[in-house]
RNA sequence: GCCGCGGUAGCUCAGUGGUAGAGCGCGUCAUUGGUAAUGACGAGGUCGAGAGUUCAAUUCUCUCUCGUGGCACCA
C-alpha cells in the first residue's frame, strides 16, 4: 500500500546506518526489512534507550536496536514473560481463586506474589511447573492492548483481582495501561512490558521455592505467597546455574564452621555464638589486627558497661526508639524460693543490656571539661552488644543477638567532619583490601522523613559525606530517606556465597546524641559547643565479618588467619620422635601448629587436614625426613610436594604467617 | 514477628500405626604406610517437648520450641 503523503521517520541502527520508514512502523517490520532471519530471532526492540514490544508503533526519528534472546536484556525479558505470562496463567488455571499481585524479574530469575486461599507448599510447584510446560507447548502469540484507567480497573474487578486494581488505582497515568493476552485464552495481565512475541521463545525454567512476602513490602498488609523460579535459554545454562548454586551452598559459613570446628549454636542461647578455640583464634587475629590499625590511626581504646540503668537509655533516646530490640533486666533481687515466682513483686526498676556503645562513650567524653584543642577524640571499643532481634531474622553468624562491634566514636568539631570522614574511608578501604574485599557496594543514606536537626545541618552533613567519597574516587549510590534519624550514614555492603547482601561497616554522622546527653567542649571563643559524633565500624561486627570471611575464602583462610597454620603428620610411627621435635620448633617460632602422630595412613591424614580441616600447610614426616632433618611440604589445594631442610622451612613459614599489617 | 518446610546416633540422612537403620565419626584390634578415606569387630538413639486420637504413636492431629528459605526489621 503506497501512501504518498505519509510522514517519514528516520531510524538509526546501532552501527550508525540510517533508514527511512513510514511513521508508525513497528519494530518487527523494521527487523523484517533488514532480514527475515533477524525478525525471527527478535524478541523486543530498544527505541531511544527504552525497551519496547515488537508490535509497538514507532512514530518519530529514533535510535533503534533489536533485542534478541542471546543478550542479558533478552534473557530478562524472557524471564519476565515466564513469570507474568506462564506462571501467572498456570496459577490461575490451577487455582481460579488465586489473586495475582506482582511478578518481577530478579537476578537469575523471577518471582510472582499470589494470594492463595489454601497455603501453597513446595510440593505444589511440580504441578504448576507442569501446567506451565503445557502452556508453553501451545506457542501462543502474546498480544497487547492499550486501555484507559477505568477500563483496566473494570477488567480486573470483573476478574476478582484486587491487587491489580490497587496497582492501577495508584498509577499516575490515566491512559495507556498495557494488557497482555495469550493467543485466544481469556488470560490478561497488566504489565509494563515488553514481552516475548510468543511463548515459543521461552527457554527452560524451573520453580525453586515458595516463601511469604507482604503485599507492597509492608508488614501491616496481607502476607502473600511468593513463588520463586529461574529461567534460562537452554538446559545447559540451567544446569550450570543449579551447579553453581550447589557449589555456593558448600561455602555456607555454618556448614564450614561446623566442619572446621570453629563455632556452634544451640537452642539455649539462640542467636549467640559458642566460639570454639579454632574460631576464636580467627577472632583474636582480627582483633589484634584491627587494634594495630586503629591505634596507628590515632584512636584510643576503652571498655564500657554491659548493663546500664533505664534512665541512661531514656536520656539517649534508645528507650523510646530502640526498646523493642533491647534486653531489659529488672533491677531487683530475684526470689529465692525454689517453687515461687522469679520476682516476689512486679519489678519497677529496670536496666538494659547495651544494644550500642555510643551512650557510654559519651559518658567518658563528658568526664572533665574538653577543649576544642582536644578534638578530634577517636574513641574505640570492641563493644559487645545485645540486640533482641526477631526470631526470623537470625541467620548463623550473619545475624546474631550478641555481637561484638569494632566500634568507635569520633568526637569532633563540625569543621572537622570532612577530614575525619575521609580519614575513616581511607582506613576502611586499606583494611578491606587486606582481606581481598574489593567488590564493595557503598550507599550514602540520606535524611529520613522523621528526623532531628534542621535542614541546613543536614545539607552540610550530606554534602560533606558525598564529597569525601567523590574526592577519594569511590563510587556510591544514594539511599534516599534511609539515613538514621540523627544523621546521614554510609553503608558498606558485601555479598555472601549465595548472593545475599550484608551491611558490614558503617559511618554515621550524629548531631543529636551529644545534644541529648549534653556533651560539650569549650571552643576558641570560650563558649560551650556541641561536638559532632561520628559512629563508625570497619568490620561491623566480628561475627558477621568472620561469617563473610569464611564464605569468601570457602574456609581456606590465608596463613595469618588460619586457626591451624601447619599440621605435622607422620607417615610411620618410627618418625614420631622427630615429628614431635618439628612440632615443638614450629610452636617456638610462633606458628599455630598441630601434631598428628595417630596410627593412620598418610592419605587419610592429608585428606582430613586438607579437605576437612583446610589447614594451609602440611608437613609430612617419614623415615627419610627424620634421617635428613627435613620436612616434606604440601600446600592446601596443591598436589605438589617439596622437601626442605627443617630450619629454613620454618623460618620461611614464620615470615609467611605474618599479618598484612 | 509473618508465610512455607523441617527436627530420627556426635555428623549427614533413610524409614515405619506394632518402641529403629545406613554411611561417616567414635572405641578396640590388626596393619607401619610416602601425599585428598587401610581392614575387621564393637559401643552408641525416651525418634525436639507436651497434649490428644488409638489396644498400641517415632509415625496421625493440635500446641509449644528450635532450625531453615523468604518477607518485614537490621551490623
Amino acid at each position: 500500500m503506497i501512501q504518498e503523503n505519509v510522514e517519514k521517520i528516520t531510524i538509526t541502527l546501532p552501527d550508525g546506518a540510517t533508514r527511512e520508514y513510514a511513521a508508525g512502523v513497528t519494530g518487527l517490520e523494521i527487523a523484517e526489512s533488514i532480514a527475515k532471519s533477524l525478525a525471527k530471532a527478535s524478541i523486543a526492540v530498544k527505541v531511544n534507550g527504552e525497551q519496547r514490544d515488537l508490535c509497538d508503533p514507532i512514530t518519530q526519528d529514533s535510535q533503534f536496536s533489536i533485542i534478541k534472546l542471546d543478550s542479558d536484556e533478552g534473557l530478562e525479558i524472557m524471564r519476565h514473560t515466564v513469570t507474568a505470562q506462564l506462571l501467572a496463567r498456570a496459577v490461575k488455571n490451577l487455582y481460579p481463586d488465586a489473586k495475582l499481585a506482582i511478578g518481577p524479574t530478579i537476578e537469575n530469575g523471577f518471582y510472582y506474589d499470589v494470594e492463595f486461599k489454601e497455603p501453597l507448599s513446595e510440593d505444589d510447584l511440580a504441578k504448576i511447573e507442569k501446567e506451565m510446560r503445557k502452556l508453553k507447548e501451545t506457542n501462543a502469540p502474546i498480544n497487547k492492548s492499550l486501555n484507559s484507567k477505568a477500563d483496566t480497573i473494570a477488567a480486573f474487578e470483573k476478574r476478582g483481582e484486587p491487587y491489580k486494581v490497587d496497582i492501577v488505582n495508584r498509577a499516575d497515568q490515566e491512559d495507556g495501561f498495557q494488557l497482555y493476552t495469550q493467543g485466544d485464552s481469556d488470560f490478561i495481565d497488566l504489565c509494563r512490558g515488553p514481552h516475548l512475541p510468543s511463548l515459543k521463545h521461552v527457554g527452560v525454567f524451573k520453580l525453586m521455592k515458595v516463601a511469604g512476602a507482604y503485599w507492597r513490602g509492608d508488614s501491616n498488609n496481607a502476607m502473600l505467597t511468593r513463588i520463586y523460579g529461574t529461567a534460562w535459554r537452554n538446559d545447559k545454562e540451567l544446569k550450570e546455574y543449579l551447579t553453581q548454586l550447589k557449589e555456593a551452598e558448600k561455602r555456607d559459613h555454618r556448614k564450614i564452621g561446623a566442619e572446621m570446628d570453629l563455632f556452634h549454636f544451640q537452642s539455649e542461647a539462640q542467636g549467640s555464638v559458642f566460639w570454639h578455640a579454632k574460631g576464636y583464634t580467627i577472632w583474636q587475629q582480627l582483633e589484634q589486627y584491627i587494634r594495630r590499625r586503629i591505634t596507628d590511626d590515632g584512636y584510643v581504646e576503652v571498655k564500657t558497661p554491659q548493663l546500664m540503668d533505664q534512665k541512661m537509655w531514656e536520656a539517649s533516646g534508645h528507650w523510646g526508639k530502640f526498646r523493642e530490640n533491647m534486653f531489659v533486666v529488672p533491677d531487683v533481687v530475684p526470689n529465692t524460693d525454689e517453687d515461687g515466682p522469679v520476682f516476689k513483686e512486679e519489678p519497677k526498676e529496670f536496666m538494659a543490656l547495651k544494644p550500642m556503645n555510643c551512650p557510654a562513650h559519651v559518658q567518658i567524653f563528658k568526664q572533665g571539661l574538653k577543649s576544642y584543642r582536644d578534638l578530634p577524640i577517636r574513641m574505640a571499643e570492641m563493644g559487645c552488644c545485645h540486640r533482641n532481634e526477631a526470631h526470623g531474622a537470625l541467620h548463623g553468624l550473619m545475624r546474631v543477638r550478641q555481637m561484638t562491634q569494632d566500634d568507635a566514636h569520633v568526637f569532633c568539631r563540625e569543621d572537622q567532619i570532612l577530614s575525619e570522614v575521609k580519614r575513616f574511608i581511607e582506613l576502611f578501604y586499606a583494611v578491606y583490601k587486606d582481606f581481598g574485599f574489593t567488590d564493595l557496594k557503598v550507599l550514602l543514606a540520606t535524611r529520613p522523613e522523621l528526623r532531628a536537626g534542621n535542614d541546613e545541618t543536614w545539607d552540610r552533613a550530606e554534602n560533606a559525606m558525598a564529597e569525601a567519597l567523590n574526592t577519594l574516587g569511590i563510587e556510591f549510590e544514594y539511599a534516599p530517606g534511609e539515613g538514621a534519624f540523627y544523621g546521614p550514614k554510609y553503608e558498606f555492603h558485601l555479598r555472601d556465597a549465595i548472593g545475599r547482601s550484608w551491611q558490614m561497616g558503617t559511618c554515621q554522622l550524629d548531631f543529636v546524641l551529644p545534644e541529648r546527653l549534653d556533651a560539650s567542649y569549650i571552643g576558641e571563643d570560650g563558649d560551650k559547643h556541641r561536638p559532632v559524633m561520628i559512629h563508625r565500624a570497619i568490620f561491623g561486627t566480628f561475627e558477621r565479618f568472620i561469617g563473610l570471611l569464611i564464605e569468601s575464602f570457602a574456609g581456606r583462610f590465608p596463613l595469618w588467619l588460619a586457626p591451624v597454620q601447619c599440621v605435622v603428620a607422620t607417615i610411620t610411627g618410627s618418625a614420631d620422635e622427630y615429628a614431635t621435635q618439628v612440632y615443638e620448633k614450629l610452636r617456638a617460632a610462633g606458628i599455630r601448629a598441630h601434631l598428628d602422630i595417630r596410627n593412620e595412613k598418610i592419605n587419610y591424614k592429608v585428606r582430613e587436614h586438607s579437605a576437612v580441616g583446610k589447614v594451609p600447610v602440611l608437613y609430612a614426616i617419614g623415615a627419610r625426613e627424620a634421617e635428613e632433618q627435613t620436612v616434606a611440604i604440601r600446600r592446601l589445594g596443591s598436589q605438589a610436594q617439596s622437601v626442605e631442610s627443617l630450619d629454613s622451612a620454618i623460618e620461611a613459614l614464620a615470615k609467611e604467617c605474618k599479618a598484612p599489617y
Side-chain angles (χ1 to χ4, degrees):
Chain A
M1 181 163 43
I2 298 164
Q3 288 182 321
E4 286 297 319
N5 52 357
V6 78
E7 199 192 332
K8 294 280 183 186
I9 58 169
T10 304
I11 294 297
T12 309
L13 300 176
D15 63 0
T18 58
R19 286 170 172 243
E20 292 222 325
Y21 294 93
V25 66
T26 67
L28 184 63
E29 287 163 353
I30 297 177
E32 275 171 345
S33 76
I34 298 171
K36 268 260 156 20
S37 57
L38 181 63
K40 246 177 125 175
S42 305
I43 58 170
V45 294
K46 213 165 175 181
V47 181
N48 291 329
E50 222 174 282
Q51 290 183 358
R52 306 293 300 271
D53 280 301
L54 281 177
C55 60
D56 283 329
I58 302 167
T59 54
Q60 45 187 281
D61 295 351
S62 303
Q63 295 285 330
F64 177 90
S65 61
I66 282 170
I67 299 175
K68 294 190 290 182
L69 194 53
D70 60 6
S71 66
D72 288 349
E73 276 178 296
L75 181 58
E76 195 185 339
I77 290 168
M78 192 263 274
R79 285 173 177 156
H80 191 194
T81 299
V82 170
T83 186
Q85 294 289 321
L86 274 186
L87 175 53
R89 188 173 157 207
V91 164
K92 288 298 280 189
N93 283 356
L94 296 171
Y95 308 89
D97 290 339
K99 308 204 179 313
L100 301 172
I102 52 165
T105 58
I106 50 176
E107 198 177 359
N108 298 323
F110 56 83
Y111 66 77
Y112 213 114
D113 285 349
V114 187
E115 185 188 300
F116 288 95
K117 268 207 163 140
E118 300 294 325
L120 190 80
S121 94
E122 243 141 70
D123 298 338
D124 301 316
L125 293 182
K127 191 169 59 175
I128 300 176
E129 221 177 85
K130 202 171 151 198
E131 180 71 12
M132 288 168 73
R133 295 231 159 71
K134 212 171 91 192
L135 295 176
K136 173 185 150 44
E137 292 307 313
T138 65
N139 289 335
I142 296 173
N143 295 305
K144 75 169 176 187
S145 58
L146 296 177
N147 302 271
S148 71
K149 193 169 203 165
D151 289 350
T152 309
I153 290 174
F156 283 117
E157 268 177 349
K158 194 177 134 207
R159 285 172 155 77
E161 298 282 8
Y163 297 104
K164 297 292 183 190
V165 172
D166 190 29
I167 293 168
V168 178
N169 262 326
R170 285 165 189 273
D172 292 332
Q173 75 213 63
E174 284 304 313
D175 261 311
F177 289 93
Q178 303 193 117
L179 293 181
Y180 287 84
T181 57
Q182 283 174 42
D184 50 10
S185 76
D186 70 343
F187 174 82
I188 59 165
D189 190 47
L190 173 75
C191 194
R192 248 184 228 123
H195 271 305
L196 302 177
S198 100
L199 294 180
K200 76 166 181 256
H201 292 275
V202 168
V204 297
F205 51 84
K206 181 175 167 60
L207 298 182
M208 305 291 283
K209 55 194 178 188
V210 297
Y214 297 107
W215 168 235
R216 301 177 56 80
D218 184 338
S219 56
N220 296 313
N221 290 341
M223 176 148 288
L224 309 175
T225 302
R226 178 169 293 180
I227 301 172
Y228 283 95
T230 188
W232 299 86
R233 298 176 188 94
N234 51 53
D235 284 319
K236 183 166 166 273
E237 282 187 359
L238 173 65
K239 221 174 148 188
E240 271 170 17
Y241 172 66
L242 295 176
T243 308
Q244 186 194 322
L245 274 188
K246 260 198 199 134
E247 286 302 308
E249 273 169 30
K250 290 186 193 159
R251 299 168 86 96
D252 189 316
H253 72 280
R254 294 165 300 186
K255 190 177 158 64
I256 291 177
E259 282 168 5
M260 289 178 71
D261 190 22
L262 302 179
F263 58 84
H264 85 269
F265 291 91
Q266 60 188 56
S267 57
E268 291 84 351
Q270 49 176 300
S272 298
V273 189
F274 290 79
W275 286 101
H276 298 192
K278 285 181 184 165
Y280 195 53
T281 299
I282 299 169
W283 177 303
Q284 285 172 307
Q285 293 309 310
L286 291 175
E287 185 170 337
Q288 288 158 19
Y289 163 88
I290 200 72
R291 183 169 286 132
R292 290 190 292 270
R293 277 285 191 186
I294 61 175
T295 303
D296 286 357
D297 205 43
Y299 287 77
V300 292
E301 191 175 338
V302 300
K303 202 77 181 170
T304 60
Q306 284 298 328
L307 266 176
M308 289 199 288
D309 196 279
Q310 172 179 346
K311 292 184 190 72
M312 173 66 73
W313 302 112
E314 281 169 354
S316 71
H318 289 86
W319 197 257
K321 287 218 172 2
F322 206 70
R323 189 167 30 158
E324 69 169 343
N325 286 305
M326 288 166 69
F327 287 101
V328 174
V329 183
D331 186 17
V332 289
V333 179
N335 185 15
T336 49
D337 299 344
E338 255 179 59
D339 300 324
V342 181
F343 302 110
K344 276 190 173 144
E345 45 192 280
E346 187 76 3
K348 290 188 183 63
E349 304 283 320
F350 295 97
M351 302 188 79
L353 285 167
K354 64 174 171 186
M356 298 181 194
N357 305 299
C358 27
H361 289 186
V362 175
Q363 304 314 307
I364 294 181
F365 178 88
K366 283 172 66 180
Q367 298 300 304
L369 274 186
K370 295 288 181 296
S371 148
Y372 70 96
R373 291 199 183 94
D374 296 324
L375 304 183
I377 293 172
R378 307 189 187 95
M379 191 186 292
E381 176 171 2
M382 306 301 162
C384 176
C385 295
H386 287 81
R387 292 186 192 172
N388 200 344
E389 301 286 354
H391 288 79
L394 300 176
H395 180 87
L397 293 178
M398 305 303 199
R399 193 79 182 268
V400 292
R401 289 178 149 179
Q402 179 189 305
M403 71 208 83
T404 301
Q405 302 173 316
D406 64 320
D407 200 9
H409 295 92
V410 179
F411 296 86
C412 65
R413 307 188 303 261
E414 214 177 306
D415 63 284
Q416 293 171 321
I417 289 176
L418 179 59
S419 63
E420 283 303 311
V421 167
K422 267 171 77 177
R423 188 186 178 111
F424 170 70
I425 296 170
E426 284 174 319
L427 175 63
F428 182 93
Y429 272 84
V431 168
Y432 275 62
K433 202 172 152 226
D434 281 344
F435 293 93
F437 291 133
T438 49
D439 193 20
L440 279 159
K441 188 172 168 193
V442 184
L443 296 177
L444 173 48
T446 55
R447 67 194 80 183
E449 260 178 52
L450 282 173
R451 60 180 179 265
N454 60 45
D455 283 353
E456 292 81 60
T457 313
W458 276 91
D459 285 341
R460 279 201 303 278
E462 288 170 6
N463 290 338
M465 293 192 82
E467 192 188 335
L469 289 172
N470 284 328
T471 55
L472 294 168
I474 291 164
E475 277 182 38
F476 68 97
E477 286 170 35
Y478 280 100
E482 298 286 308
F485 76 95
Y486 47 76
K489 62 179 180 181
Y490 297 137
E491 293 179 10
F492 299 94
H493 292 259
L494 283 178
R495 288 177 154 228
D496 68 11
I498 63 167
R500 286 182 288 220
S501 179
W502 298 95
Q503 184 182 324
M504 310 301 290
T506 183
C507 178
Q508 316 182 0
L509 292 192
D510 184 353
F511 306 99
V512 174
L513 198 61
E515 177 85 34
R516 290 196 70 122
L517 296 178
D518 192 26
S520 61
Y521 66 90
I522 309 297
E524 235 172 323
D525 54 7
D527 290 339
K528 278 191 177 180
H529 298 271
R530 292 283 174 220
V532 178
M533 272 178 93
I534 304 174
H535 309 243
R536 41 107 294 168
I538 298 175
F539 295 154
T541 66
F542 284 84
E543 286 82 1
R544 183 176 287 182
F545 196 77
I546 293 173
L548 253 298
L549 281 179
I550 292 171
E551 301 204 351
S552 160
F553 293 127
R556 299 175 165 216
F557 286 96
L559 265 169
W560 74 281
L561 285 172
V564 177
Q565 294 165 316
C566 181
V567 163
V568 183
T570 48
I571 294 165
T572 155
S574 64
D576 285 359
E577 197 187 326
Y578 174 63
T580 307
Q581 288 169 20
V582 173
Y583 166 73
E584 298 293 350
K585 279 200 168 179
L586 282 164
R587 305 266 298 184
I591 292 164
R592 295 188 290 274
H594 173 78
L595 177 64
D596 185 355
I597 51 176
R598 289 175 305 169
N599 176 17
E600 294 291 351
K601 294 202 163 177
I602 191 66
N603 287 300
Y604 181 88
K605 294 184 183 180
V606 166
R607 182 183 178 277
E608 189 172 281
H609 298 301
S610 302
V612 183
K614 299 177 174 62
V615 177
V617 178
L618 184 135
Y619 286 176
I621 307 289
R624 273 206 305 274
E625 287 75 19
E627 175 70 22
E628 295 162 5
Q629 296 284 300
T630 57
V631 289
I633 304 169
R634 185 192 176 105
R635 295 275 176 156
L636 182 62
S638 161
Q639 308 283 333
Q641 304 155 44
S642 68
V643 178
E644 286 180 36
S645 80
L646 176 60
D647 289 336
S648 65
I650 291 181
E651 197 186 335
L653 183 57
K655 258 188 208 149
E656 238 185 295
C657 287
K658 265 191 75 171
Y661 190 91

